[in-house]
Amino acid sequence: MAKCELCGYESEEISESIGVCVNCLRRNPQKALEKVMKSHFRWRELINLPSLPPQEGELSCKICVNECKIPRDSSGYCGIIWNKGGRLTTITGSFNKAYLHWYLDPHPTNCVAEPVCPERKHHGFYNLAVFFAGCNLDCLFCQNVQHKYMIKDGKVDLQEGIVLSFSELSNVAMRSKVSCIC
């Protein structure tokens, strides 16, 4: 049971991490959003990601819509792109390598493409599920939040994922029993 920090309403439907009820979000969105964002900024700070897309740095990153201006020896909003000594690079040290985790999900699977998948009824085929570390979005209740924890403190943690070149990942994807990638 959580209590709304704005109106005092108590309910199991209130997120303890956000602390605002749906009625306050609807009736007083400005004040409610302030509370929500404070909670969100605290979480990003815990894993050493910038609270907002950086705009005061020396190098511009144009890879995504955030268009970060990344300070020296810091990351962009995603946590993947870094300014290392005045040069843009990635957390892996190369734009040809990705930090990720993957697995083969056997068909039939719960994939969103299942209705159109040509292999949906065939056993022995796989969906290649790939989860890249980091993200340029910042959804408050991300369903794949582990990709943010993978880059905690700006480091590659080989207990959390692996570093693969794009050709290595392509080789996995091209296996004869892999019918799709998501």
Side-chain angles (χ1 to χ4, degrees):
M1 183 80 69
K3 185 176 187 176
C4 178
E5 295 175 22
L6 295 178
C7 71
Y9 175 68
E10 291 187 39
S11 172
E12 291 179 359
E13 295 176 355
I14 298 171
S15 165
E16 287 183 30
S17 63
I18 294 176
V20 179
C21 71
V22 70
N23 291 329
C24 286
L25 283 167
R26 290 179 179 144
R27 291 187 198 128
N28 194 351
Q30 194 66 32
K31 194 163 192 131
L33 189 57
E34 267 179 48
K35 294 267 185 204
V36 169
M37 294 312 292
K38 278 184 186 175
S39 170
H40 204 46
F41 292 161
R42 265 193 320 268
W43 179 80
R44 288 187 66 87
E45 188 177 296
L46 284 172
I47 60 172
N48 291 318
L49 286 174
S51 298
L52 296 167
Q55 296 302 310
E56 303 295 322
E58 65 182 327
L59 290 181
S60 294
C61 177
K62 306 275 187 197
I63 292 175
C64 79
V65 71
N66 289 318
E67 294 191 2
C68 296
K69 291 183 179 73
I70 307 172
R72 189 172 287 254
D73 299 320
S74 297
S75 78
Y77 194 62
C78 63
I80 294 295
I81 304 299
W82 280 77
N83 174 347
K84 296 279 186 174
R87 194 175 140 257
L88 278 184
T89 189
T90 69
I91 196 169
T92 65
S94 168
F95 282 96
N96 187 42
K97 293 184 177 182
Y99 179 38
L100 54 89
H101 61 92
W102 66 271
Y103 60 90
L104 295 175
D105 195 8
H107 287 297
T109 185
N110 61 350
C111 178
V112 295
E114 187 272 334
V116 296
C117 177
E119 305 303 337
R120 69 184 174 274
K121 294 180 181 168
H122 297 122
H123 293 277
F125 286 86
Y126 298 90
N127 164 43
L128 173 58
V130 182
F131 296 89
F132 291 92
C135 182
N136 62 331
L137 302 175
D138 201 34
C139 306
L140 192 55
F141 287 106
C142 175
Q143 68 178 4
N144 294 310
V145 74
Q146 71 273 14
H147 69 264
K148 295 256 176 83
Y149 287 113
M150 289 172 70
I151 57 173
K152 185 177 191 285
D153 299 322
K155 297 179 184 139
V156 169
D157 179 350
L158 296 177
Q159 299 293 326
E160 295 289 329
I162 61 172
V163 175
L164 286 181
S165 71
F166 290 110
S167 63
E168 290 169 320
L169 184 58
S170 295
N171 287 339
V172 175
M174 296 305 294
R175 292 179 184 172
S176 63
K177 295 292 185 168
V178 173
S179 61
C180 59
I181 305 166
C182 74

